[in-house]
Amino acid sequence: MKLQLVATCLFGLEKLLGEELDALGLRRLETMDGRILFEGEPSDIPRANIHLRCAERVMIRVGAFPARSYEELFEGTRALPWEDWIGKLDAFPVKGHCIKSKLFSVPDCQSIIKKAMVERLSGAYGIRWFQETETKYQIEFFLFKDTVSLMIDTSGIALHKRGYRPDAGAAPLRETLAAALALTARPRQEILFWDPMCGSGTIAIEAAMILSNRAPGLGRGFAGERFRQISAAAWADARAAAEAAVKQNADFEVWASDIDEAILDVTYENALRAGVEEYMNIFQADVRTLKKPDRKGSIVCNPPYGERLMTSEEAVQLYRDMGRVFRDFAPWQIYIITSHPEFDRCYGQRADKVRRLYNGMLPCNLYQYFKPKG
């Protein structure tokens, strides 16, 4: 049975997410900001949830239609085959977003969609009252430019919550964004990957997971595991295949250092939970006094933005010091993400490429230095 599926992501990660879908052999149908529509079988839902590093959620699109009025929204929702998914005792809460549409009230849209679903399911099951005591099918609507997509979330807890990071430190970077930074740097076995301001270790851990081919969803569960339409065998097979694909005794090393020695215990515990501690060298170091190792390498880091961990003036001085230190690391490639608007001026070098990304809702730039100088 072919399904239309949706993978959502942080703005700016669509290209990387699309490449991940391609690698899984899944056919992309449409790409827009923050989401990709693709085609798959029910058995592809476990695979997507377990393997996608840059996705926030994987959802089933039950249908899409124009909704310029509440009547259109009601009738279009009622026409969809909700009984194919939702049993008479199942829960089906509704939430969603309205963007650039005539219908802009989220609570009103929630109410209309819920009423239409109840009417459809009442006709299918011959009941008027739904107890909603069994499996939860979270309904998500996305109303954009007067067209609504109605979806069922299969992920449950957002996919960036891998399960290895209960203590994330003072200014956490979302795991999906950390994975995107690591993927952008193209980690390779023969290239040392180093985050010299690692905090709780998220970027370095995601890089180690990529290099060891450890799927990000192996350590957690998903809402879709309770769906009758997706067999337990499909989830078991997807997990077994992901486990079998993990590289054993891989030959690479990831460095994670930070000036704060206390946070490094958190880094190690996170790496242990993620199953990659054997590949990581975790140590205390001040980024302002680093020396280049005698080997090829890449630096990927998320320095303080001057908002939560230090003042703006302190951040500016840190960026100047980083520029001075990292000049001596040539021809290493350097990747730095920050929301500071004057970063490149403070750093003292124009980036070869700047990419707009979002850390949650905070707009940031990824400054990339990869071309040989001189």
Side-chain angles (χ1 to χ4, degrees):
M1 175 176 64
K2 287 292 185 184
L3 300 172
Q4 288 193 348
L5 304 171
V6 176
T8 63
C9 64
L10 295 172
F11 291 150
L13 303 192
E14 297 84 1
K15 181 177 183 294
L16 290 169
L17 176 56
E19 291 170 354
E20 290 192 279
L21 291 168
D22 294 344
L24 289 174
L26 299 170
R27 188 167 73 93
R28 288 188 263 172
L29 302 175
E30 181 184 358
T31 300
M32 63 181 298
D33 288 348
R35 61 190 57 224
I36 296 177
L37 178 68
F38 64 102
E39 189 176 66
E41 306 280 347
S43 60
D44 291 319
I45 293 171
R47 294 175 60 234
N49 274 292
I50 291 169
H51 285 278
L52 293 177
R53 300 183 190 278
C54 297
E56 292 295 322
R57 295 188 181 276
V58 175
M59 298 187 283
I60 300 159
R61 188 165 86 162
V62 181
F65 51 88
R68 296 172 292 268
S69 67
Y70 288 124
E71 182 179 3
E72 280 188 324
L73 180 61
F74 183 90
E75 294 299 336
T77 302
R78 185 173 60 175
L80 296 176
W82 296 106
E83 64 277 8
D84 290 350
W85 295 97
I86 300 166
K88 63 182 178 181
L89 296 178
D90 293 333
F92 49 104
V94 179
K95 62 182 180 181
H97 303 279
C98 302
I99 301 173
K100 298 179 180 178
S101 297
K102 292 182 176 67
L103 304 182
F104 57 84
S105 170
V106 170
D108 287 344
C109 290
Q110 285 175 296
S111 177
I112 294 294
I113 291 167
K114 184 76 172 187
K115 288 177 182 176
M117 291 181 67
V118 167
E119 185 159 322
R120 171 78 187 207
L121 293 171
S122 293
Y125 297 123
I127 58 175
R128 296 299 302 173
W129 175 257
F130 290 87
Q131 298 179 39
E132 301 195 44
T133 55
E134 293 195 357
T135 303
K136 178 182 175 181
Y137 290 80
Q138 178 65 59
I139 309 303
E140 297 260 0
F141 70 87
F142 182 61
L143 183 51
F144 179 68
K145 292 185 177 179
D146 298 324
T147 295
V148 66
S149 293
L150 291 174
M151 300 162 289
I152 300 173
D153 176 27
T154 71
S155 300
I157 297 171
L159 295 179
H160 73 263
K161 296 185 178 180
R162 320 286 206 215
Y164 66 73
R165 198 178 72 164
D167 187 352
L173 188 75
R174 194 174 288 195
E175 292 90 326
T176 42
L177 180 55
L181 300 181
L183 287 167
T184 300
R186 297 180 298 116
R188 287 147 286 168
Q189 179 177 309
E190 69 276 10
I191 304 294
L192 173 62
F193 187 103
W194 187 0
D195 180 357
M197 287 174 278
C198 69
S200 58
T202 311
I203 295 173
I205 289 169
E206 292 291 330
M209 292 174 70
I210 291 166
L211 284 163
S212 60
N213 202 35
R214 178 174 290 276
L218 273 175
R220 53 159 288 170
F222 307 93
E225 291 181 76
R226 296 182 290 277
F227 292 6
R228 292 178 298 278
Q229 298 83 356
I230 310 170
S231 70
W235 289 98
D237 290 348
R239 277 204 170 85
E243 289 279 8
V246 176
K247 297 177 182 177
Q248 302 299 326
N249 303 313
D251 183 20
F252 70 88
E253 188 177 32
V254 170
W255 286 10
S257 62
D258 199 278
I259 193 172
D260 180 5
E261 194 166 10
I263 197 65
L264 298 179
D265 288 335
V266 175
T267 303
Y268 177 77
E269 293 297 328
N270 288 344
L272 188 65
R273 278 185 289 267
V276 295
E277 80 287 350
E278 64 182 296
Y279 302 113
M280 294 185 62
N281 180 14
I282 300 168
F283 58 97
Q284 191 275 336
D286 185 341
V287 70
R288 294 167 291 193
T289 59
L290 297 182
K291 300 298 181 184
K292 176 189 171 187
D294 187 20
R295 58 195 292 188
K296 295 179 180 179
S298 296
I299 284 176
V300 182
C301 60
N302 172 39
Y305 303 165
E307 296 184 4
R308 283 183 284 182
L309 295 183
M310 57 172 56
T311 66
S312 180
E313 292 77 14
E314 290 170 331
V316 165
Q317 185 57 53
L318 174 63
Y319 300 155
R320 289 175 179 149
D321 293 338
M322 289 168 59
R324 171 180 52 80
V325 169
F326 289 163
R327 271 192 290 274
D328 294 336
F329 275 70
W332 281 35
Q333 296 183 354
I334 311 292
Y335 301 83
I336 304 168
I337 187 171
T338 176
S339 68
H340 198 287
E342 299 291 328
F343 171 80
D344 51 352
R345 182 182 63 81
C346 302
Y347 187 76
Q349 182 179 333
R350 184 180 295 277
D352 298 309
K353 184 176 181 180
V354 180
R355 184 174 179 181
R356 187 70 157 177
L357 297 172
Y358 284 78
N359 185 5
M361 297 301 294
L362 181 66
C364 301
N365 286 318
L366 175 61
Y367 295 88
Q368 304 173 52
Y369 304 87
F370 49 78
K371 293 180 181 178
K373 298 296 181 269

